[in-house]
Amino acid sequence: MTFKNYLLSRGFSTATSESYSKSLLQYTVWTESNQIETEQSTYNEVISYVQHLKNKAIKQRTVQLHMNSLRHYFDWVAKRQLRNDNPTLNINIKGIKRRKLYNIIDKPTLEKIYHGYDIGNLEKQEDENIAKRNKIILGLIIYQGLGTLELNRLEVNDVKLREGKIFVKSSRRSNERTLKLEAHQVLDVMEYTLKIRAELVAENPKGTEQLLITKGTGNHLQNAI
């Protein structure tokens, strides 16, 4: 598997994969010119490369993009068992303005939103099923911190009911992980997985293993969220 294909398998876009591959090529040219073995680069050698980029008056944010590329590259090298560490992990590029987050909702308020989600006595079973699905989505956002893309990519087999956990595939922004479900989520997820999802599929067959089924003909949850 090439580095580019590795990135694609991790969920990166074609454009990002090509950009990171070009960045790696630049690093490879630099290591060869300095008689450094690329795959076995040390922390100090990577730092020297950072200084090399800065000496060329490259913007800090662009330097950070080069480091992002190398971070994934050395992860790939480690997965191929060619080394057991990543020399870029403790390298942070200073001088980059970070976005500030405002109006953060605290945990008690989030839990109040979840427990206050009222399914109620809906007249149609279809609407009740959708409401219960929505509560599953709400719980995964609040307690497991999942985003829209991660919710869309969940499949039935990702739910580990016996363990009370859910598996989340890797994406271009995050690693794969297995997350614990809260006790009060487990029963709702179980009911949805074993009963409600089947009823939604029966109403509108989609031929997909996607966990969270939409009401319409498409498979994307954007409108539902």
Side-chain angles (χ1 to χ4, degrees), residues 119-183:
I119 294 174
N121 298 315
L122 299 175
E123 294 182 1
K124 297 181 180 179
Q125 181 63 45
E126 178 184 6
D127 292 336
E128 183 176 331
N129 286 342
I130 292 296
K132 289 182 176 180
R133 180 211 62 188
N134 289 347
K135 188 167 185 179
I136 299 295
I137 293 174
L138 186 62
L140 292 171
I141 291 173
I142 290 175
Y143 294 105
Q144 284 71 43
L146 301 192
T148 305
L149 292 178
E150 292 172 320
L151 290 166
N152 263 307
R153 297 176 66 193
L154 288 176
E155 295 185 348
V156 176
N157 290 335
D158 293 332
V159 178
K160 315 298 180 184
L161 289 175
R162 289 184 180 275
E163 303 169 34
K165 296 179 179 179
I166 189 163
F167 173 73
V168 182
K169 300 178 181 66
S170 63
S171 70
R172 59 181 176 177
R173 292 182 178 273
S174 61
N175 295 324
E176 66 179 38
R177 55 210 189 277
T178 300
L179 303 174
K180 184 178 182 297
L181 295 170
E182 296 294 324

Side-chain angles (χ1 to χ4, degrees), residues 71-160:
R71 187 168 288 114
H72 289 294
Y73 167 69
F74 286 113
D75 279 345
W76 177 57
V77 172
K79 283 183 180 294
R80 292 157 59 212
Q81 299 183 333
L82 298 177
R83 66 184 298 160
N84 57 13
D85 66 326
N86 187 328
T88 68
L89 290 182
N90 294 318
I91 298 177
N92 294 306
I93 307 303
K94 297 181 179 179
I96 299 175
K97 291 184 178 180
R98 309 290 180 181
R99 285 194 308 165
K100 291 185 177 180
L101 300 179
Y102 298 94
N103 300 322
I104 302 299
I105 304 176
D106 58 29
K107 185 175 180 180
T109 303
L110 287 172
E111 292 188 327
K112 185 176 180 181
I113 291 172
Y114 177 80
H115 291 294
Y117 186 89
D118 186 15
I119 294 174
N121 298 315
L122 299 175
E123 294 182 1
K124 297 181 180 179
Q125 181 63 45
E126 178 184 6
D127 292 336
E128 183 176 331
N129 286 342
I130 292 296
K132 289 182 176 180
R133 180 211 62 188
N134 289 347
K135 188 167 185 179
I136 299 295
I137 293 174
L138 186 62
L140 292 171
I141 291 173
I142 290 175
Y143 294 105
Q144 284 71 43
L146 301 192
T148 305
L149 292 178
E150 292 172 320
L151 290 166
N152 263 307
R153 297 176 66 193
L154 288 176
E155 295 185 348
V156 176
N157 290 335
D158 293 332
V159 178
K160 315 298 180 184

Side-chain angles (χ1 to χ4, degrees), residues 155-156 197 200-211 213 216-219:
E155 295 185 348
V156 176
R197 183 185 179 279
L200 291 174
V201 171
E203 294 166 4
N204 193 357
K206 294 178 183 291
T208 177
E209 288 301 305
Q210 188 173 355
L211 175 65
I213 299 296
T217 57
N219 289 330

Side-chain angles (χ1 to χ4, degrees), residues 48-65:
S48 295
Y49 181 63
V50 171
Q51 190 58 54
H52 164 73
L53 295 175
K54 290 181 177 180
N55 291 341
K56 295 174 66 176
I58 292 177
K59 293 180 179 179
Q60 296 291 79
R61 190 167 294 279
T62 302
V63 175
Q64 181 64 64
L65 291 175

Side-chain angles (χ1 to χ4, degrees), residues 176-192:
E176 66 179 38
R177 55 210 189 277
T178 300
L179 303 174
K180 184 178 182 297
L181 295 170
E182 296 294 324
H184 51 263
Q185 285 181 278
V186 175
L187 288 179
D188 288 341
V189 172
M190 181 183 297
E191 180 190 16
Y192 174 81

